[in-house]
Amino acid sequence: MDGIQAAISADSVDEGWTVAGRNFRSRLIVGTGRYKDLEETGRAIAASGAEVVTVAVRRVNLADPKAPMLQDHVDPKKYFYLPNTAGCFTAQDAVRTLRLAREAGGWNLVKLEVLGPPPFLYPDMRATFEAAEALLKDGFEVMVYCADDPVAAKRLEEMGCCAIMPLGAPIGSGLGLQNKVMIRAIVEQSKVPVLVDAGVGTASDAAEAMELGCDAVLMNSAIAHAQHPVLMARAMKAAVEAGRLAYLAGRMKRQEAADPSSPLTGLIR
Protein backbone atom coordinates (compact mmCIF):
# COMPACT_ATOMS: atom_id res chain seq x y z
CA MET A 1 0.00 0.00 0.00
CA ASP A 2 2.92 2.41 0.65
CA GLY A 3 3.86 2.23 -3.03
CA ILE A 4 0.31 3.01 -4.08
CA GLN A 5 0.08 5.94 -1.70
CA ALA A 6 3.37 7.31 -2.95
CA ALA A 7 2.20 7.07 -6.54
CA ILE A 8 -1.04 9.00 -6.12
CA SER A 9 -2.24 12.18 -4.48
CA ALA A 10 -5.64 13.23 -3.25
CA ASP A 11 -6.46 15.00 -6.52
CA SER A 12 -4.70 12.67 -8.96
CA VAL A 13 -6.39 10.78 -11.77
CA ASP A 14 -5.90 7.21 -12.90
CA GLU A 15 -3.07 7.12 -15.41
CA GLY A 16 -4.29 3.91 -16.99
CA TRP A 17 -2.62 0.57 -17.57
CA THR A 18 -0.17 -1.10 -19.95
CA VAL A 19 -0.26 -4.44 -21.75
CA ALA A 20 2.44 -5.63 -24.15
CA GLY A 21 3.88 -2.12 -24.29
CA ARG A 22 0.55 -0.51 -25.22
CA ASN A 23 -0.93 2.10 -22.90
CA PHE A 24 -4.66 2.54 -22.33
CA ARG A 25 -6.49 4.98 -20.10
CA SER A 26 -9.81 3.15 -19.96
CA ARG A 27 -9.81 0.02 -17.83
CA LEU A 28 -13.01 -1.24 -19.44
CA ILE A 29 -12.78 -3.56 -22.45
CA VAL A 30 -16.01 -4.40 -24.24
CA GLY A 31 -17.10 -6.99 -26.74
CA THR A 32 -18.78 -6.24 -30.04
CA GLY A 33 -21.30 -9.09 -30.25
CA ARG A 34 -24.83 -9.86 -29.07
CA TYR A 35 -26.30 -6.41 -29.66
CA LYS A 36 -29.52 -6.06 -31.66
CA ASP A 37 -27.64 -4.36 -34.49
CA LEU A 38 -24.34 -2.68 -35.33
CA GLU A 39 -25.72 0.80 -34.72
CA GLU A 40 -26.51 -0.07 -31.13
CA THR A 41 -23.09 -1.69 -30.84
CA GLY A 42 -21.41 1.56 -31.81
CA ARG A 43 -23.51 3.73 -29.49
CA ALA A 44 -22.95 1.45 -26.50
CA ILE A 45 -19.21 1.22 -27.03
CA ALA A 46 -18.97 4.99 -27.35
CA ALA A 47 -20.90 5.41 -24.08
CA SER A 48 -18.60 2.93 -22.31
CA GLY A 49 -15.50 5.03 -22.87
CA ALA A 50 -13.62 1.87 -23.84
CA GLU A 51 -10.54 2.09 -26.02
CA VAL A 52 -10.19 -1.65 -26.62
CA VAL A 53 -12.90 -3.79 -28.21
CA THR A 54 -12.80 -7.53 -28.69
CA VAL A 55 -13.68 -8.98 -32.07
CA ALA A 56 -14.75 -12.61 -32.44
CA VAL A 57 -12.84 -13.45 -35.61
CA ARG A 58 -15.04 -16.43 -36.47
CA ARG A 59 -18.27 -14.46 -36.17
CA VAL A 60 -17.69 -10.88 -37.33
CA ASN A 61 -17.46 -9.76 -40.94
CA LEU A 62 -14.15 -7.98 -41.42
CA ALA A 63 -13.60 -8.56 -45.12
CA ASP A 64 -16.83 -8.61 -47.18
CA PRO A 65 -17.65 -4.97 -48.11
CA LYS A 66 -21.09 -6.02 -49.39
CA ALA A 67 -22.23 -7.19 -45.94
CA PRO A 68 -22.73 -5.05 -42.80
CA MET A 69 -19.33 -4.31 -41.32
CA LEU A 70 -18.36 -3.60 -37.74
CA GLN A 71 -15.80 -1.05 -38.91
CA ASP A 72 -18.59 1.22 -40.16
CA HIS A 73 -19.88 1.65 -36.60
CA VAL A 74 -16.78 1.02 -34.48
CA ASP A 75 -13.96 2.88 -36.18
CA PRO A 76 -10.68 0.88 -36.05
CA LYS A 77 -8.83 4.20 -36.19
CA LYS A 78 -10.49 5.19 -32.91
CA TYR A 79 -10.64 1.83 -31.13
CA PHE A 80 -8.00 -0.84 -30.67
CA TYR A 81 -9.31 -4.12 -32.09
CA LEU A 82 -8.44 -7.18 -30.01
CA PRO A 83 -9.13 -10.38 -31.99
CA ASN A 84 -10.32 -13.29 -29.90
CA THR A 85 -11.08 -16.95 -30.42
CA ALA A 86 -14.67 -16.98 -29.14
CA GLY A 87 -16.38 -20.13 -30.31
CA CYS A 88 -13.20 -22.23 -30.44
CA PHE A 89 -13.32 -25.57 -28.64
CA THR A 90 -9.91 -26.98 -29.60
CA ALA A 91 -6.39 -25.64 -29.47
CA GLN A 92 -6.03 -26.22 -33.20
CA ASP A 93 -9.08 -24.09 -34.04
CA ALA A 94 -7.91 -21.29 -31.77
CA VAL A 95 -4.42 -21.18 -33.25
CA ARG A 96 -5.72 -21.35 -36.83
CA THR A 97 -8.23 -18.56 -36.15
CA LEU A 98 -5.60 -16.17 -34.80
CA ARG A 99 -3.14 -16.95 -37.57
CA LEU A 100 -5.86 -16.04 -40.07
CA ALA A 101 -6.61 -12.86 -38.11
CA ARG A 102 -2.97 -11.82 -38.30
CA GLU A 103 -2.92 -12.47 -42.04
CA ALA A 104 -6.12 -10.47 -42.55
CA GLY A 105 -5.51 -7.51 -40.28
CA GLY A 106 -1.95 -7.65 -39.05
CA TRP A 107 -3.02 -8.14 -35.44
CA ASN A 108 -0.37 -9.49 -33.12
CA LEU A 109 -1.88 -8.73 -29.70
CA VAL A 110 -4.69 -11.26 -29.33
CA LYS A 111 -7.04 -12.78 -26.80
CA LEU A 112 -6.95 -16.55 -26.54
CA GLU A 113 -9.86 -18.57 -25.21
CA VAL A 114 -10.51 -22.26 -25.65
CA LEU A 115 -13.83 -23.40 -24.25
CA GLY A 116 -15.02 -26.62 -22.73
CA PRO A 117 -18.41 -28.14 -23.58
CA PRO A 118 -21.85 -26.70 -22.78
CA PRO A 119 -23.62 -25.90 -20.56
CA PHE A 120 -20.81 -24.16 -18.65
CA LEU A 121 -18.30 -23.35 -21.42
CA TYR A 122 -15.61 -23.35 -18.74
CA PRO A 123 -12.05 -22.75 -19.96
CA ASP A 124 -10.45 -25.96 -21.23
CA MET A 125 -7.10 -25.43 -19.56
CA ARG A 126 -5.25 -28.32 -21.20
CA ALA A 127 -6.18 -26.98 -24.63
CA THR A 128 -5.46 -23.42 -23.50
CA PHE A 129 -1.88 -24.33 -22.55
CA GLU A 130 -1.41 -26.10 -25.87
CA ALA A 131 -2.71 -23.16 -27.88
CA ALA A 132 -0.79 -20.58 -25.84
CA GLU A 133 2.47 -22.44 -26.40
CA ALA A 134 1.93 -22.54 -30.16
CA LEU A 135 0.92 -18.89 -30.41
CA LEU A 136 3.83 -17.68 -28.30
CA LYS A 137 6.23 -19.63 -30.53
CA ASP A 138 4.64 -17.85 -33.49
CA GLY A 139 5.43 -14.48 -31.95
CA PHE A 140 1.92 -13.53 -30.84
CA GLU A 141 1.36 -11.40 -27.74
CA VAL A 142 -1.21 -13.47 -25.90
CA MET A 143 -3.82 -12.27 -23.46
CA VAL A 144 -5.29 -15.49 -22.14
CA TYR A 145 -8.72 -16.36 -20.75
CA CYS A 146 -8.38 -18.95 -18.02
CA ALA A 147 -9.87 -20.64 -14.98
CA ASP A 148 -9.82 -18.82 -11.64
CA ASP A 149 -6.86 -20.99 -10.63
CA PRO A 150 -3.71 -19.27 -9.30
CA VAL A 151 -1.47 -22.20 -10.24
CA ALA A 152 -2.66 -22.28 -13.85
CA ALA A 153 -2.55 -18.48 -14.05
CA LYS A 154 1.06 -18.36 -12.87
CA ARG A 155 2.08 -21.05 -15.33
CA LEU A 156 0.55 -19.09 -18.22
CA GLU A 157 2.42 -15.98 -17.08
CA GLU A 158 5.70 -17.90 -16.87
CA MET A 159 5.12 -19.24 -20.39
CA GLY A 160 5.09 -15.65 -21.63
CA CYS A 161 1.43 -14.60 -21.81
CA CYS A 162 1.17 -10.82 -21.49
CA ALA A 163 -2.11 -10.71 -19.55
CA ILE A 164 -4.06 -13.17 -17.44
CA MET A 165 -7.87 -13.14 -17.70
CA PRO A 166 -9.62 -15.35 -15.14
CA LEU A 167 -13.36 -15.76 -15.46
CA GLY A 168 -15.62 -14.21 -12.84
CA ALA A 169 -18.38 -16.69 -13.68
CA PRO A 170 -19.42 -18.70 -16.75
CA ILE A 171 -19.61 -16.71 -19.99
CA GLY A 172 -22.87 -14.82 -20.39
CA SER A 173 -24.21 -15.93 -17.01
CA GLY A 174 -24.25 -12.51 -15.33
CA LEU A 175 -23.64 -14.21 -11.97
CA GLY A 176 -20.90 -11.82 -10.87
CA LEU A 177 -17.61 -12.80 -9.24
CA GLN A 178 -17.99 -16.29 -7.78
CA ASN A 179 -14.44 -16.86 -6.54
CA LYS A 180 -13.11 -13.57 -5.19
CA VAL A 181 -10.49 -15.21 -3.00
CA MET A 182 -8.76 -16.90 -5.93
CA ILE A 183 -9.01 -13.84 -8.18
CA ARG A 184 -7.33 -11.78 -5.48
CA ALA A 185 -4.64 -14.46 -5.19
CA ILE A 186 -4.03 -14.29 -8.94
CA VAL A 187 -3.73 -10.50 -8.75
CA GLU A 188 -1.32 -10.59 -5.81
CA GLN A 189 1.09 -13.04 -7.47
CA SER A 190 0.96 -11.70 -11.01
CA LYS A 191 3.61 -9.54 -12.66
CA VAL A 192 1.46 -8.96 -15.75
CA PRO A 193 -1.99 -7.35 -15.99
CA VAL A 194 -4.95 -9.30 -14.61
CA LEU A 195 -8.40 -8.74 -16.08
CA VAL A 196 -11.67 -10.29 -14.96
CA ASP A 197 -13.26 -11.72 -18.08
CA ALA A 198 -16.79 -13.20 -18.22
CA GLY A 199 -19.61 -13.36 -15.72
CA VAL A 200 -20.10 -9.67 -14.96
CA GLY A 201 -23.80 -8.87 -14.76
CA THR A 202 -24.11 -5.35 -13.46
CA ALA A 203 -22.10 -2.33 -12.38
CA SER A 204 -21.41 -3.53 -8.84
CA ASP A 205 -19.71 -6.65 -10.25
CA ALA A 206 -17.35 -4.50 -12.31
CA ALA A 207 -16.57 -2.27 -9.34
CA GLU A 208 -15.89 -5.33 -7.19
CA ALA A 209 -13.41 -6.71 -9.72
CA MET A 210 -11.51 -3.44 -9.71
CA GLU A 211 -11.57 -3.27 -5.90
CA LEU A 212 -9.78 -6.63 -5.86
CA GLY A 213 -6.91 -4.97 -7.71
CA CYS A 214 -7.59 -6.13 -11.27
CA ASP A 215 -6.08 -3.95 -13.96
CA ALA A 216 -9.20 -3.98 -16.12
CA VAL A 217 -12.52 -5.73 -16.75
CA LEU A 218 -13.79 -7.26 -19.97
CA MET A 219 -17.48 -7.71 -20.65
CA ASN A 220 -20.00 -8.10 -23.43
CA SER A 221 -23.32 -9.66 -22.39
CA ALA A 222 -23.71 -7.44 -19.33
CA ILE A 223 -24.04 -4.44 -21.63
CA ALA A 224 -25.50 -6.02 -24.77
CA HIS A 225 -28.25 -7.90 -22.90
CA ALA A 226 -29.25 -5.05 -20.61
CA GLN A 227 -32.69 -3.57 -21.22
CA HIS A 228 -30.96 -0.32 -22.15
CA PRO A 229 -27.43 -1.18 -23.37
CA VAL A 230 -26.21 2.40 -23.83
CA LEU A 231 -27.27 3.33 -20.31
CA MET A 232 -25.63 0.20 -18.90
CA ALA A 233 -22.45 1.04 -20.79
CA ARG A 234 -22.36 4.39 -19.00
CA ALA A 235 -22.93 2.63 -15.68
CA MET A 236 -20.05 0.21 -16.34
CA LYS A 237 -17.71 3.08 -17.21
CA ALA A 238 -18.48 4.76 -13.88
CA ALA A 239 -18.26 1.48 -11.94
CA VAL A 240 -14.81 0.59 -13.27
CA GLU A 241 -13.53 4.08 -12.47
CA ALA A 242 -15.03 4.01 -8.96
CA GLY A 243 -13.70 0.53 -8.25
CA ARG A 244 -10.19 1.48 -9.27
CA LEU A 245 -10.23 4.61 -7.09
CA ALA A 246 -11.56 2.59 -4.16
CA TYR A 247 -8.71 0.09 -4.59
CA LEU A 248 -6.14 2.87 -4.64
CA ALA A 249 -7.74 4.57 -1.65
CA GLY A 250 -7.61 1.42 0.47
CA ARG A 251 -10.85 0.39 2.15
CA MET A 252 -11.32 0.56 5.90
CA LYS A 253 -10.69 -2.61 7.88
CA ARG A 254 -13.64 -4.87 8.60
CA GLN A 255 -14.39 -5.50 12.28
CA GLU A 256 -17.03 -7.28 14.30
CA ALA A 257 -17.87 -4.51 16.77
CA ALA A 258 -19.18 -1.02 16.15
CA ASP A 259 -16.83 1.95 16.05
CA PRO A 260 -18.87 5.14 16.35
CA SER A 261 -17.90 7.97 14.03
CA SER A 262 -18.47 10.46 16.85
CA PRO A 263 -16.57 9.97 20.15
CA LEU A 264 -18.57 8.84 23.15
CA THR A 265 -16.55 10.97 25.56
CA GLY A 266 -17.04 14.65 26.31
CA LEU A 267 -20.77 14.56 25.62
CA ILE A 268 -22.94 17.50 26.71
CA ARG A 269 -25.04 16.39 29.63
Side-chain angles (χ1 to χ4, degrees):
M1 187 59 68
D2 291 341
I4 292 174
Q5 290 173 341
I8 64 173
S9 62
D11 60 350
S12 69
V13 295
D14 185 4
E15 293 300 325
W17 63 294
T18 301
V19 59
R22 299 165 177 83
N23 302 314
F24 301 104
R25 294 189 65 87
S26 173
R27 294 178 180 271
L28 176 59
I29 298 176
V30 294
T32 54
R34 317 197 82 172
Y35 294 89
K36 68 178 183 180
D37 53 39
L38 289 175
E39 181 182 0
E40 183 180 73
T41 304
R43 290 192 298 116
I45 290 172
S48 76
E51 297 167 276
V52 181
V53 297
T54 60
V55 179
V57 179
R58 300 184 69 184
R59 297 174 179 168
V60 175
N61 172 38
L62 295 172
D64 182 2
K66 298 179 181 179
M69 299 189 74
L70 178 66
Q71 299 97 308
D72 294 335
H73 300 271
V74 181
D75 187 350
K77 295 180 181 179
K78 180 178 179 181
Y79 298 98
F80 186 92
Y81 276 31
L82 179 65
N84 71 19
T85 56
C88 291
F89 292 87
T90 69
Q92 292 76 19
D93 279 351
V95 171
R96 185 183 308 112
T97 296
L98 291 177
R99 285 173 176 164
L100 289 172
R102 183 160 65 180
E103 288 295 322
W107 293 293
N108 202 56
L109 179 62
V110 297
K111 179 199 165 189
L112 168 66
E113 60 180 75
V114 186
L115 303 179
F120 300 112
L121 301 177
Y122 206 75
D124 182 331
M125 292 310 299
R126 181 175 180 177
T128 297
F129 282 118
E130 181 182 344
E133 183 176 19
L135 291 168
L136 290 166
K137 284 182 179 178
D138 272 1
F140 283 93
E141 296 162 314
V142 181
M143 301 173 67
V144 58
Y145 174 65
C146 63
D148 47 0
D149 175 355
V151 176
K154 193 63 180 178
R155 187 171 300 165
L156 288 164
E157 178 188 334
E158 291 171 345
M159 287 173 63
C161 293
C162 62
I164 306 300
M165 308 174 74
L167 81 168
I171 290 173
S173 67
L175 289 172
L177 277 61
Q178 297 297 297
N179 200 347
K180 291 179 284 187
V181 172
M182 291 299 98
I183 289 177
R184 184 186 291 277
I186 292 171
V187 169
E188 290 178 349
Q189 73 177 7
S190 183
K191 296 179 181 178
V192 298
V194 176
L195 298 79
V196 159
D197 178 8
V200 168
T202 191
S204 57
D205 301 330
E208 190 170 45
M210 298 306 300
E211 289 171 5
L212 291 174
C214 291
D215 294 275
V217 180
L218 192 156
M219 66 185 72
N220 190 172
S221 299
I223 297 176
H225 284 180
Q227 293 182 35
H228 302 286
V230 175
L231 192 59
M232 183 59 81
R234 290 175 56 194
M236 292 300 187
K237 177 178 186 290
V240 167
E241 292 172 353
R244 178 63 181 177
L245 290 175
Y247 170 71
L248 294 175
R251 65 155 291 141
M252 64 175 288
K253 292 182 179 180
R254 292 180 172 89
Q255 57 188 33
E256 298 294 330
D259 183 12
S261 56
S262 299
L264 298 180
T265 58
L267 299 179
I268 299 175
R269 300 186 184 276

